[in-house]
Amino acid sequence: MKFKTFAAFVGPSIFLMLLFIAAPLASVFVQSFQSTQPVLERVEVETCTPGFPTQTCTTEVKTRPLLDASGKIQTTTEWVGLESYANVLQLDRVGQALADGAPGRILTIDFWKALRFTLTLTLVTLPLVIGLGLALALAVNNATKRLRGQIIFVSLLPFIITPVIGALSIRWLFIGDGIMTAALEGWLDRDISMFAQGWTIELLMNFYRVWHVAPFAFVILYAGLQTVNQDTLESAIIDGASRFERLRYVIVPHLMPLIVFIALIHLMDCYRAFEEVVGFSSQAHRITLQWLTFDLLTPDDSGNRSISRASASAMLTMIGIVILLVPLLRRTWRDHRGA
Amino acid sequence: MNLKAIALGLTVSLMSSGAYAACAFENDVPISSLSAGFEAWKSVTDAMAECGNFEAELDQEFRTKQPAAFAANPSLYDIGGVSNGTVTPLLNEGTIRPLDDLIAAHAPDIPDNLKIKIDGQTMAIAMMINTQHMMYRKDVLDEVGLSAPTTWEEVLTASAAIQEADLVDYPLGATMKSGWNLAQEFVNMYSGYGGAFYNDDSTPSVNNDAGVQALEMMKALTAYMDPEYLVSDSTYVQQQFQQGKIAMANLWASRGGAMDDEAESQVVGKVYAAAAPYATAGQPPATTMWWDGMVIAKNISDAEAEAAIKLIAEGLDTEMVTAANDDAIWLVEGYKPSRLAEGAIATVTADPAPASYPSTSQMGLMHTALGNELPAFFTGERDAAATLAAVEAAYITSAKEAGILN
């Protein structure tokens, strides 16, 4: 292909990627080292509010921002170095907890609490997603041709459902006296509250993640199964390989690049888990890194928002993803060069 | 047959809306509003819509959308529904306009009591008051031979008696969903113990005896609640009441009307309301006062502002209140307090009366810090003093970032 043709095809998408991915990333990177504050004044304000039967007026000193000539809030921006990162990581409290011999206290700090949960969610669901996806793919591959279409359609449903809706529907099955809780209570003959303690919510969140992502692994692996070399399989059968040995020595090695691909996507996706926290309203017990960023960015009733800390938290999330992906990327790179 | 029935239904609904459309003027300027989504707002915006060309957006997430929407030029909405807790960013950013001239020229009938005045200028028009007060099942309390509790200690006693008698699933309900709701419960209880949230120099001041007492009391109360209380918001508590699962709750007055809604409630006529309980003698009831009202954006044309004030006057007339009497504790003329409003009125007229929710930048930060740090106390990860220390630390971090503390 001529370079000109190539550029014409790729140009628009590179432009969009620069505009919507690279530029925001650069701006968040810069903001994580800056602090923008309004210029504040302290003034005495008289406020009159309705009462019974007449108004009550109170005078108090309020802190409010100064407005400039065009009616916008005056702000000052300074470079604060790594201060926002320090505020997110709270390494002094981590050190204190370690010095006191109570490492459990580290998990009461938002960032570390979120990191702990995000990592376990990611790493626990990864083998389950791949295992379940592979099992589904093998089952469908061995099913009679007439049923395959229907089975594929049904298995794909969880993947098609909007994530938040999927999380909410699982929550509704279990919250309060939901159908599933009521059924479990009847079966086990004891009172069950799935949303009263952290570990049960965590269990549900892990279940939701596997339920939602396994179909993705299934589709990819099912496609991969169609390309397995039938001659190799037949020779394995003639050599007396059992079903399991065929899977272990023929099929899985053939699918390995796809499994690595699924693992890559899953790690990236799961590390920025967010829907679970919203869907299960698990803030009191379990939070994820992405939710932490969102929470810092949400303005409170007086309009304050922590943009610097949110930027720092977002950058830390990105660094985390990169670290997680390094081993897999190195493997792919090695394979690539080997080929 | 079916078609005929549908046609009949359509005609009736058209006729009724025609009869309902009793507006003093015809509005020809397109006006939009953004407000919270509870019943009272629905009634008011419906009344305003009768004048035509009016579009209301009812959204419980209005508090996060409003500041940015009003800062746009032209503003994305003409009218904003606010409460004393959410009007601060609009005032701070100067995105709403003073209303005195508009009221004098186009809506002279709006009573003085409804005008929210900041430094002498009317910045908002109030329509209702709201407060958290004690709602209880009279039949259940009668059964155990108790009257409505007036202190939180009595709430504990009554809860124990109700649990003993096994009359409902859980004696108590509470809006303790982690985040804003839980923080608000603490704000109520802590105010009841006479605590202040921050000092004159904006440093935090919640790590004290009153704070510990408030947390210990809240923890004691949770023993009588559904164990999933950390995910329970106002709607959830309202439903627990309606389904007869709980017997008492310190709940928003604006939720009272739903108890007698025959379409939803199984406890019609059984729920009564009393003043918010006292936490300790000599202090006001453990609650805060709120008002809800309307503001007009600054970044809109004068013609739009004129139409907006006329619509507001139309929405807050006696006709609307008569039709939706039980939806709120209205401040509008013509309101007749019902059985379920007695509690809120008793709360407001208590001596000393509970303070208005202090809407300041500091309080916004404190509320967020409370909402994020308190759950660890209720899940048992931290004790009361450590939790309050963590609240203060979180407040200081964000106050420094916001430039309020140096």
Side-chain angles (χ1 to χ4, degrees):
Chain A
M1 198 186 294
K2 272 192 212 149
F3 176 75
K4 215 175 151 189
T5 328
F6 173 76
F9 270 110
V10 176
S13 75
I14 289 192
F15 171 73
L16 290 179
M17 274 162 78
L18 284 177
L19 186 64
F20 291 113
I21 300 176
L25 201 64
S27 116
V28 169
F29 181 72
V30 170
Q31 281 182 51
S32 70
F33 297 104
Q34 284 181 336
S35 163
T36 301
Q37 295 175 338
V39 181
L40 298 170
E41 58 167 356
R42 288 175 67 77
V43 279
E44 225 173 54
V45 180
E46 189 198 36
T47 312
C48 294
T49 52
F52 281 103
T54 51
Q55 290 209 311
T56 48
C57 295
T58 51
T59 308
E60 55 187 347
V61 178
K62 284 201 176 185
T63 308
R64 68 181 184 200
L66 284 170
L67 301 182
D68 63 15
S70 61
K72 293 262 189 297
I73 290 181
Q74 292 181 30
T75 56
T76 52
T77 302
E78 325 171 13
W79 294 93
V80 293
L82 292 170
E83 194 184 293
S84 304
Y85 290 89
N87 285 337
V88 173
L89 293 170
Q90 303 205 17
L91 290 174
D92 49 333
R93 276 174 72 192
V94 173
Q96 187 66 38
L98 288 175
D100 294 355
R105 282 223 317 263
I106 297 174
L107 295 182
T108 60
I109 304 168
D110 281 345
F111 175 80
W112 299 100
K113 186 164 123 182
L115 181 69
R116 198 287 294 160
F117 174 66
T118 313
L119 273 181
T120 30
L121 180 74
T122 311
L123 299 177
V124 167
T125 54
L126 177 64
L128 293 173
V129 162
I130 293 175
L132 192 65
L134 184 61
L136 270 172
L138 288 169
V140 171
N141 205 33
N142 291 326
T144 53
K145 277 229 162 88
R146 286 177 55 196
L147 286 176
R148 272 188 209 170
Q150 285 89 323
I151 299 179
I152 292 176
F153 173 71
V154 171
S155 338
L156 277 183
L157 277 179
F159 190 54
I160 299 167
I161 293 172
T162 314
V164 175
I165 304 295
L168 278 176
S169 38
I170 294 185
R171 167 194 151 107
W172 286 325
L173 287 176
F174 286 97
I175 198 165
D177 283 332
I179 310 177
M180 291 303 288
T181 313
L184 276 177
E185 280 175 350
W187 184 44
L188 298 171
D189 199 27
R190 53 178 297 217
D191 214 21
I192 295 174
S193 303
M194 291 298 276
F195 285 81
Q197 55 280 315
W199 68 271
T200 40
I201 301 186
E202 186 164 344
L203 204 68
L204 285 179
M205 289 162 98
N206 278 299
F207 170 74
Y208 159 75
R209 184 50 74 159
V210 175
W211 174 81
H212 178 63
V213 187
F216 168 69
F218 154 65
V219 174
I220 306 269
L221 294 175
Y222 180 67
L225 279 181
Q226 311 311 311
T227 64
V228 174
N229 189 330
Q230 293 302 315
D231 293 346
T232 322
L233 264 186
E234 271 168 34
S235 0
I237 294 173
I238 294 167
D239 287 347
S242 71
R243 224 188 163 107
F244 176 75
E245 283 166 335
R246 270 179 276 151
L247 181 67
R248 171 76 183 75
Y249 295 105
V250 181
I251 298 177
V252 169
H254 177 74
L255 294 179
M256 212 52 203
L258 292 178
I259 291 177
V260 171
F261 168 73
I262 294 167
L264 269 176
I265 301 285
H266 182 72
L267 287 178
M268 274 193 277
D269 260 5
C270 199
Y271 198 74
R272 45 173 197 79
F274 175 70
E275 300 87 359
E276 280 92 343
V277 181
V278 176
F280 290 95
S281 354
S282 68
Q283 299 91 305
H285 304 279
R286 297 290 185 268
I287 56 173
T288 63
L289 290 165
Q290 190 84 336
W291 190 85
L292 183 66
T293 308
F294 164 81
D295 190 46
L296 290 170
L297 214 48
T298 311
D300 66 27
D301 285 1
S302 331
N304 307 303
R305 59 208 304 196
S306 319
I307 293 179
S308 309
R309 262 189 298 162
S311 311
S313 163
M315 291 314 293
L316 286 170
T317 310
M318 212 188 68
I319 294 169
I321 296 183
V322 170
I323 293 175
L324 268 185
L325 293 187
V326 162
L328 286 168
L329 285 175
R330 275 179 56 183
R331 193 198 143 94
T332 320
W333 178 242
R334 237 182 16 233
D335 291 356
H336 196 68
R337 281 220 313 212
Chain B
M1 180 64 198
N2 261 340
L3 256 181
K4 215 170 160 187
I6 292 168
L8 189 73
L10 272 178
T11 329
V12 171
S13 64
L14 281 177
M15 271 164 57
S16 60
S17 62
Y20 206 62
C23 185
F25 74 109
E26 190 161 334
N27 179 35
D28 45 14
V29 187
I31 297 293
S32 62
S33 80
L34 173 67
S35 66
F38 51 82
E39 278 304 307
W41 280 113
K42 202 165 174 301
S43 310
V44 171
T45 48
D46 281 352
M48 288 158 78
E50 287 166 11
C51 304
N53 269 323
F54 174 70
E55 198 179 328
E57 189 171 325
L58 304 177
D59 184 349
Q60 285 296 85
E61 294 299 317
F62 74 101
R63 65 179 94 234
T64 49
K65 289 164 79 176
Q66 227 164 26
F70 275 65
N73 195 0
S75 169
L76 302 187
Y77 303 92
D78 305 292
I79 299 174
V82 296
S83 73
N84 52 331
T86 63
V87 73
T88 311
L90 303 179
L91 285 171
N92 280 349
E93 290 167 24
T95 51
I96 52 177
R97 59 171 73 200
L99 304 174
D100 296 285
D101 295 345
L102 285 169
I103 293 175
H106 304 289
D109 295 339
I110 290 177
D112 278 342
N113 193 24
L114 300 194
K115 295 174 188 164
I116 306 295
K117 289 196 170 155
I118 312 281
D119 277 343
Q121 281 185 314
T122 306
M123 298 306 287
I125 299 166
M127 60 176 206
M128 57 176 276
I129 53 165
N130 208 351
T131 179
Q132 285 183 305
H133 65 352
M134 180 48 71
M135 287 167 48
Y136 62 98
R137 284 274 299 279
K138 193 165 190 311
D139 55 326
V140 172
L141 280 176
D142 283 348
E143 191 111 347
V144 293
L146 291 170
S147 54
T150 55
T151 66
W152 280 106
E153 288 295 339
E154 285 179 29
V155 174
L156 285 174
T157 330
S159 302
I162 294 169
Q163 191 154 54
E164 182 76 11
D166 199 16
L167 297 168
V168 283
D169 288 2
Y170 307 104
L172 266 180
T175 52
M176 286 178 68
K177 179 173 174 175
S178 62
W180 194 91
N181 286 283
L182 179 59
Q184 180 54 32
E185 289 281 314
F186 177 82
V187 168
N188 288 340
M189 192 62 88
Y190 182 66
S191 312
Y193 282 105
F197 294 91
Y198 52 89
N199 304 312
D200 285 342
D201 58 357
S202 301
T203 48
S205 64
V206 289
N207 192 1
N208 52 34
D209 283 348
V212 173
Q213 281 173 324
L215 280 181
E216 297 294 349
M217 174 55 85
M218 287 166 75
K219 182 88 159 218
L221 292 165
T222 59
Y224 300 104
M225 292 176 196
D226 182 338
E228 292 175 356
Y229 58 82
L230 283 177
V231 292
S232 133
D233 59 10
S234 313
T235 306
Y236 191 73
V237 176
Q238 175 189 321
Q239 287 166 350
Q240 282 184 315
F241 245 128
Q242 289 175 326
Q243 294 164 8
K245 288 183 180 165
I246 56 171
M248 293 184 289
N250 200 41
L251 190 60
W252 291 101
S254 54
R255 300 281 173 168
M259 300 303 151
D260 280 355
D261 180 350
E262 286 181 9
E264 293 177 359
S265 175
Q266 299 164 13
V267 292
V268 174
K270 291 180 184 166
V271 177
Y272 284 69
Y278 288 90
T280 183
Q283 294 292 341
T287 190
T288 43
M289 291 295 310
W290 295 70
W291 54 259
D292 285 87
M294 285 185 268
V295 295
I296 296 181
K298 188 180 183 189
N299 297 336
I300 57 174
S301 71
D302 288 343
E304 284 169 322
E306 190 181 307
I309 193 79
K310 283 188 194 164
L311 278 174
I312 292 177
E314 190 63 34
L316 300 184
D317 63 1
T318 312
E319 187 197 12
M320 182 283 298
V321 168
T322 328
N325 192 58
D326 291 346
D327 285 350
I329 314 294
W330 297 107
L331 290 162
V332 184
E333 206 172 328
Y335 172 61
K336 294 191 190 64
S338 69
R339 185 185 89 244
L340 281 155
E342 285 165 12
I345 291 167
T347 308
V348 181
T349 49
D351 186 35
S356 276
Y357 177 83
S359 180
T360 55
S361 300
Q362 289 90 334
M363 195 60 203
L365 298 168
M366 179 56 80
H367 207 111
T368 308
L370 287 167
N372 285 342
E373 300 295 336
L374 291 185
F377 170 70
F378 291 95
T379 57
E381 286 165 45
R382 273 196 299 242
D383 64 16
T387 305
L388 292 170
V391 169
E392 294 203 340
Y395 169 87
I396 289 171
T397 307
S398 47
K400 280 185 179 161
E401 198 177 333
I404 288 168
L405 275 178
N406 291 317

